[in-house]
């Protein structure tokens, strides 16, 4: 399953030789990881280590964001563990097919939620969109998030 990915990484801006209905053709829109591999020359082992580090960072970012919302470490830990045991955690730690980069996209979306800078939020959303084809679906909530009063409050209330 890694061969098509490494072919895409070797020539990231060329069309895939695979049939149009093949799932691997979605790599045409998932450019971040092929470009990263193209310029860093990572192989499967390096990518697995990177996925593990991204999974740890995702867990930390979920803890940090939920703690800022609820202002309660126990609730943040419970939500963080819930996130780790569902698809969110699976795609960050055990995705070994070489064609799905949802954990990387989630990492960038979590970074977008965690920053106060509109410029960095836009950059992280852009990188998320280059990592997975479903990331643009998250744009409306993240746009609302960039308002000054959202998510970075000290009360235990949800943002409006």
């Amino acid at each position: 399953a890694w061969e098509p990915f490494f072919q895409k990484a070797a020539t990231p801006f060329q069309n895939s030789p695979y049939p149009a209905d093949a799932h691997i053709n979605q790599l045409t829109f998932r450019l971040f990881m092929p470009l990263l591999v193209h310029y860093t020359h990572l192989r499967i082992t390096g990518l697995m280590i990177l996925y593990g580090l991204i999974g740890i960072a995702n867990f930390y970012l979920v803890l940090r964001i939920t703690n800022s919302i609820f202002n309660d470490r126990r609730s943040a830990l419970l939500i963080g563990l819930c996130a780790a045991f569902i698809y969110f955690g699976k795609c960050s730690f055990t995705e070994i097919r070489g064609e799905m980069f949802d954990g990387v996209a989630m990492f960038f979306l979590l970074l977008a939620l965690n920053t106060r800078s509109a410029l960095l939020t836009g950059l992280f959303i852009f990188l998320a969109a280059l990592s997975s084809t479903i990331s643009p679906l998250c744009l409306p909530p993240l746009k609302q998030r960039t308002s000054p009063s959202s998510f970075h409050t000290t009360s235990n209330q949800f943002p409006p």
Side-chain angles (χ1 to χ4, degrees), residues 11-142:
T11 57
F13 297 109
Q14 290 184 358
N15 287 334
S16 171
Y18 298 97
D21 60 344
H23 181 71
I24 198 66
N25 274 331
Q26 288 187 5
L27 282 177
T28 302
F29 304 105
R30 297 175 180 188
L31 278 177
F32 180 78
M33 290 303 288
L35 285 173
L36 181 72
V37 168
H38 180 76
Y39 290 111
T40 61
H41 306 289
L42 289 173
R43 301 308 301 164
I44 294 174
T45 305
L47 284 170
M48 291 290 99
I49 292 169
L50 179 65
Y51 282 166
L53 293 174
I54 286 173
I56 293 168
N58 282 348
F59 182 69
Y60 170 75
L61 288 169
V62 167
L63 291 177
R64 184 175 165 132
I65 291 167
T66 54
N67 189 40
S68 72
I69 293 170
F70 294 114
N71 201 19
D72 178 26
R73 289 184 177 187
R74 288 183 189 163
S75 297
L77 180 61
L78 181 63
I79 292 171
L81 288 173
C82 289
F85 291 125
I86 60 172
Y87 179 74
F88 186 87
K90 175 197 170 286
C91 68
S92 297
F93 289 105
T94 62
E95 181 55 58
I96 58 172
R97 290 180 284 181
E99 60 189 42
M100 303 288 286
F101 308 108
D102 293 344
V104 176
M106 288 179 200
F107 172 69
F108 287 126
L109 291 172
L110 287 170
L111 283 175
L113 283 172
N114 200 40
T115 185
R116 293 182 182 190
S117 166
L119 179 65
L120 285 177
T121 299
L123 174 67
F124 293 141
I125 290 170
F126 176 73
L127 291 174
L130 287 179
S131 301
S132 177
T133 53
I134 63 167
S135 295
L137 297 175
C138 299
L139 290 178
L142 285 174

